[in-house]
Amino acid sequence: NQSIVCSFMKKFVLQLAFWILLFSSQLTLAELIKDDAILGVWMTAEQEGLIKIYKNAETIEGMVFKSLNPEDANRVDINNPDPEQRNRLLMGLVILKGFNFDGVKRWTGGQIYDPKTGLTYQASLELINENKLALRGYVGIPLFGRTENWTRKN
């Protein structure tokens, strides 16, 4: 009888420890990823510039914060499809708009403007870890798109 009770107690303690670890790891993950976790300054995948991601009212936006090429300081949005917008400076230009946090680790429903082509794409953002952000731009559905990884700089 003692061996049965001892065996039961060992199983119970192991199961209890398993559930405590599982619950605490879920709690830690939920605490780490909040709706403002992506706010800050990010280096683009090509390492050409820095994008500042910030909250604007209820959505997330991102603007060109700094170019790493000194010649770009006065560069304008020459490829914009709207001729009236082609004289605006790229520095300070909002290129990410309308993102909402999904409650886990993604921001969806937004758009990204590509000043190199003048095109705007639907987009989503996913926090891979504290210092890595995956940006996916696409037309129609995410399957037909491209992902690039940005690195946190602040």
Side-chain angles (χ1 to χ4, degrees):
N1 274 342
Q2 276 188 333
S3 67
I4 293 173
V5 171
C6 192
S7 175
F8 173 77
M9 288 301 291
K10 283 182 185 178
K11 286 181 184 178
F12 176 76
V13 169
L14 286 174
Q15 287 179 348
L16 182 61
F18 169 77
W19 288 110
I20 289 172
L21 285 173
L22 181 65
F23 178 73
S24 66
S25 68
Q26 293 298 320
L27 184 61
T28 302
L29 180 62
E31 288 174 351
L32 288 176
I33 301 178
K34 296 183 180 180
D35 66 341
D36 61 353
I38 63 170
L39 303 184
V41 178
W42 296 85
M43 172 79 72
T44 61
E46 299 87 17
Q47 298 187 353
E48 295 175 338
L50 301 175
I51 307 299
K52 182 177 185 176
I53 296 180
Y54 58 93
K55 197 172 226 178
N56 183 8
E58 297 299 314
T59 63
I60 297 294
E61 293 186 353
M63 63 175 250
V64 178
F65 181 67
K66 181 179 182 181
S67 174
L68 299 182
N69 182 352
E71 296 173 8
D72 288 345
N74 295 316
R75 192 167 150 220
V76 294
D77 191 13
I78 192 101
N79 296 316
N80 196 298
D82 181 353
E84 293 183 13
Q85 300 289 320
R86 292 182 184 157
N87 289 327
R88 65 183 180 170
L89 290 174
L90 290 182
M91 200 61 55
L93 183 67
V94 176
I95 63 167
L96 299 172
K97 288 184 181 180
F99 291 89
N100 293 295
F101 185 52
D102 73 357
V104 183
K105 64 176 183 173
R106 295 185 70 207
W107 289 258
T108 58
Q111 297 181 326
I112 182 167
Y113 173 70
D114 180 1
K116 290 181 182 177
T117 63
L119 299 174
T120 300
Y121 301 94
Q122 291 173 283
S124 64
L125 305 167
E126 182 175 347
L127 195 60
I128 303 302
N129 62 45
E130 185 179 338
N131 295 309
K132 184 176 180 184
L133 181 68
L135 180 143
R136 182 150 187 87
Y138 56 92
V139 175
I141 59 173
L143 178 65
F144 303 113
R146 182 178 73 120
T147 300
E148 59 180 51
N149 293 313
W150 291 3
T151 306
R152 188 181 298 270
K153 293 316 272 180
N154 64 330

